[in-house]
Amino acid sequence: MNAPPRPEPTDPRDRPARLTVGVVGAGRVGPALAASLALAGHRPVAVSGVSEASVRRAALMLPDVPVVTPAEVLSRSELVLLTVPDDALPGLVEGLVETGSVRPGQLLVHTSGRYGTKVLDPALRAGALPLALHPAMTFTGTPVDVQRLAGCAFGVTAPEELRLAAEALVIEMGGEPEWIREESRPLYHAALALGANHLVTLVAESMELLREAGVEAPDRMLGPLLGAALDNALRSGDAALTGPVARGDAGTVAAHVSELRKHAPQTVAGYLAMARATADRALAHGLLKPELAEDLLGVLADGAEGGPR
């Protein structure tokens, strides 16, 4: 009697590694992506980092993976993650090519939102396979980042012949690929920065003002409100606009500007800019009545000039 078929191993450590993975730039992103690839059966073999924080982060996220030079990372790896700041990426690619570190057939992946694959053209001419995989996620540099990649959208740009490889890598990291044209990468990245990076600034300023107003736990006060506002905005877009600007309450907005000028003058310009943008969108979508908009826009103009004339 034949023995039953042997079940497939479920622990990634029990599967043969498919690609050796290296990380150039042990910031918050690279180690998390490498750790997620390890869970999918790939094998991180080298990481580069300069600062003490980078070295500590690599040790936390990729234990037992040696910290070496960028050139050594490339020499050991079939798949290389280039996870450096946007402005440093073109110079890094050119330097790696000039030193002969890039090998034909090597998968070279950068995680910049700004760039597509054109920034990797020097490596492409050296025979590398270029991919741009940008996770639309904020990172902490801790193991929680690996969990957050589940369901995370990745902005993907790749040559047509590498499309399946790009999709496979994103899916293995738990993400969902979203294809972005090369020429649309800067706009795509600007949209994410506008929504996510500026949100952090707005929330931090809001918490500071609440503390100034005497609220002991501004995070607890804001949490349910911001959660509901975000959910409504994602579901309904501009129809979710509420508050004094969308209602045309010019007197309330004037009081806001006056108080901000007294207690937090550094926030006035941002408040006015967002109020003007909100008024424009509320008007365009019929939420702000035109007869109320004139007084409101007058208040915003006066606020920008330092107060009523």
Side-chain angles (χ1 to χ4, degrees):
M1 183 174 180
N2 293 331
R6 187 174 180 179
E8 290 292 324
T10 57
D11 189 327
R13 292 170 296 182
D14 294 334
R15 298 198 298 263
R18 285 164 290 160
L19 292 172
T20 52
V21 178
V23 180
V24 176
R28 296 181 179 184
V29 178
L33 298 188
S36 67
L37 287 170
L39 291 176
H42 300 287
R43 183 164 61 94
V45 293
V47 59
S48 73
V50 177
S51 69
E52 291 184 8
S54 295
V55 173
R56 287 196 302 270
R57 191 177 299 114
L60 172 66
M61 301 288 289
L62 301 171
D64 302 322
V65 174
V67 177
V68 297
T69 66
E72 185 65 20
V73 170
L74 268 72
S75 74
R76 300 184 184 192
S77 309
E78 297 163 310
L79 166 63
V80 181
L81 302 173
L82 303 179
T83 53
V84 298
D86 290 359
D87 287 351
L89 182 60
L92 172 66
V93 174
E94 291 175 0
L96 291 173
V97 172
E98 289 173 359
T99 57
S101 301
V102 177
R103 302 195 312 273
Q106 193 168 43
L107 279 166
L108 215 56
V109 178
H110 79 69
T111 59
S112 166
R114 170 184 170 187
Y115 293 109
T117 56
K118 191 169 289 295
V119 72
L120 298 174
D121 275 356
L124 174 64
R125 289 191 290 271
L129 306 177
L131 301 175
L133 309 180
H134 174 252
M137 178 54 63
T138 182
F139 289 81
T140 64
T142 65
V144 71
D145 294 333
V146 178
Q147 301 170 18
R148 286 180 173 174
L149 287 173
C152 167
F154 279 66
V156 178
T157 304
E160 185 63 32
E161 60 271 20
L162 294 178
R163 188 179 180 110
L164 290 178
E167 288 182 341
L169 287 173
V170 169
I171 292 169
E172 285 183 329
M173 288 186 282
E176 298 180 4
E178 183 71 35
W179 286 90
I180 309 295
R181 297 187 306 273
E182 178 80 28
E183 63 273 18
S184 297
R185 293 288 291 205
L187 179 61
Y188 151 80
H189 197 223
L192 294 180
L194 183 66
N197 302 156
H198 296 175
L199 176 64
V200 174
T201 300
L202 290 172
V203 173
E205 287 185 344
S206 180
M207 289 199 294
E208 289 174 357
L209 293 171
L210 286 172
R211 290 190 190 97
E212 178 74 12
V215 175
E216 292 185 0
D219 55 339
R220 289 206 301 270
M221 176 174 282
L222 283 174
L225 172 64
L226 296 181
L230 177 60
D231 184 63
N232 290 343
L234 292 175
R235 290 173 183 271
S236 305
D238 288 297
L241 283 171
T242 62
V245 173
R247 290 192 300 266
D249 291 342
T252 298
V253 173
H256 288 177
V257 174
S258 176
E259 287 300 297
L260 291 176
R261 205 172 289 285
K262 291 178 188 175
H263 297 282
Q266 74 279 5
T267 68
V268 171
Y271 179 94
L272 291 171
M274 291 303 299
R276 282 193 294 270
T278 300
D280 289 343
R281 299 189 76 88
L283 262 174
H285 289 81
L287 300 173
L288 174 59
K289 296 178 180 178
E291 61 269 25
L292 298 177
E294 185 175 353
D295 286 345
L296 175 66
L297 294 175
V299 166
L300 297 177
D302 287 341
E305 296 174 9
R309 294 185 293 277

